[in-house]
Amino acid sequence: MKTKKEASRGSAYDQLFNLSELFRPLVADFVSLPVLTITTVTGHAAASGMMLVSSHDYVLMRSDRGRGVVYERAGHGIEIRWMAFPDYFTALVREKVGSSAARRNILLKAVKMKATEAMAVGVVDSVHESPEATVEAAVRLAEELVKRKWDGEVYSDIRLAMYPELCGVLGLAPKGVRGLASEDLLASMARI
């Protein structure tokens, strides 16, 4: 028979597991959207919030606060006794954070990073002085990138191909080569 503490721990584990499974399709949707995605972090981002942020193509963050980027659970750091990170969380970190030391610090130490530290390890693309400046920079970036008139489906395929492990865990796959019609493609190649 379980003690009250063990029963409570089991219930908490079940709730965490259910939440992580409900969150999986949201990450899959962001990773497979046929548009580029830009997000701003104007406060703190922790646990699933940080995973949601990491699901975007571009991350801009304000610098005028203390810690901001935290890969942890519910403010308690990593509770290794209860539940490992879901497979798609760790795949997302492995594919978005280039340094193995940074991945270790994020996943095993639950480091709390300031914006400049997050940018140094590639979690954040740029840092700005205030929430307003962060949003303004995001709008400028979006306006700049949308001028390129990329084909959304092709963009999505490229993004999916960039993160094969994450896509495998999420059950996603690029749809393959498409975009230009064959006549247009041949005409373009003839001009080269």
Side-chain angles (χ1 to χ4, degrees):
M1 180 155 189
K2 288 185 179 182
T3 66
K4 189 174 184 179
K5 186 175 182 179
E6 290 171 333
S8 173
R9 181 170 290 164
S11 175
Y13 173 85
D14 292 342
Q15 290 175 359
L16 280 173
F17 180 79
N18 289 337
L19 278 173
S20 74
E21 288 307 303
L22 290 171
F23 196 68
R24 179 185 298 266
L26 183 61
V27 171
D29 285 347
F30 271 106
V31 171
S32 62
L33 276 173
V35 295
L36 67 94
T37 60
I38 301 170
T39 191
T40 61
V41 180
T42 59
H44 299 298
S48 294
M50 195 55 229
M51 290 300 125
L52 183 60
V53 164
S54 299
S55 298
H56 287 74
D57 298 318
Y58 299 92
V59 180
L60 291 76
M61 187 173 176
R62 72 187 269 189
S63 65
D64 64 336
R65 284 262 173 113
R67 70 165 206 254
V69 179
V70 186
Y71 287 87
E72 67 177 359
R73 289 193 193 85
H76 301 294
I78 296 178
E79 185 58 66
I80 294 174
R81 296 172 300 173
W82 282 32
M83 179 179 169
F85 282 110
D87 55 358
Y88 65 96
F89 273 39
T90 54
L92 185 59
V93 172
R94 275 193 303 273
E95 296 208 313
K96 291 274 188 148
V97 180
S99 160
S100 61
R103 288 192 304 268
R104 179 199 60 225
N105 289 338
I106 289 167
L107 292 171
L108 296 178
K109 291 174 83 176
V111 296
K112 295 163 178 62
M113 290 181 269
K114 292 182 180 181
T116 53
E117 296 166 326
M119 190 169 83
V121 298
V123 173
V124 172
D125 295 297
S126 63
V127 174
H128 307 275
E129 292 302 315
S130 68
E132 297 79 17
T134 306
V135 171
E136 288 169 9
V139 170
R140 279 193 310 275
L141 177 60
E143 289 172 345
E144 172 193 326
L145 294 174
V146 78
K147 288 177 186 174
R148 298 182 182 186
K149 298 184 182 194
W150 289 321
D151 179 292
E153 294 297 327
V154 173
Y155 187 90
S156 175
D157 273 358
I158 293 170
R159 181 192 303 119
L160 293 174
M162 286 174 56
Y163 308 119
E165 179 189 2
L166 176 62
C167 291
V169 168
L170 294 172
L172 301 171
K175 294 181 178 99
V177 178
R178 40 167 199 246
L180 296 173
S182 59
E183 299 139 25
D184 294 336
L185 180 59
L186 291 173
S188 294
M189 291 174 68
R191 288 190 294 264
I192 295 178

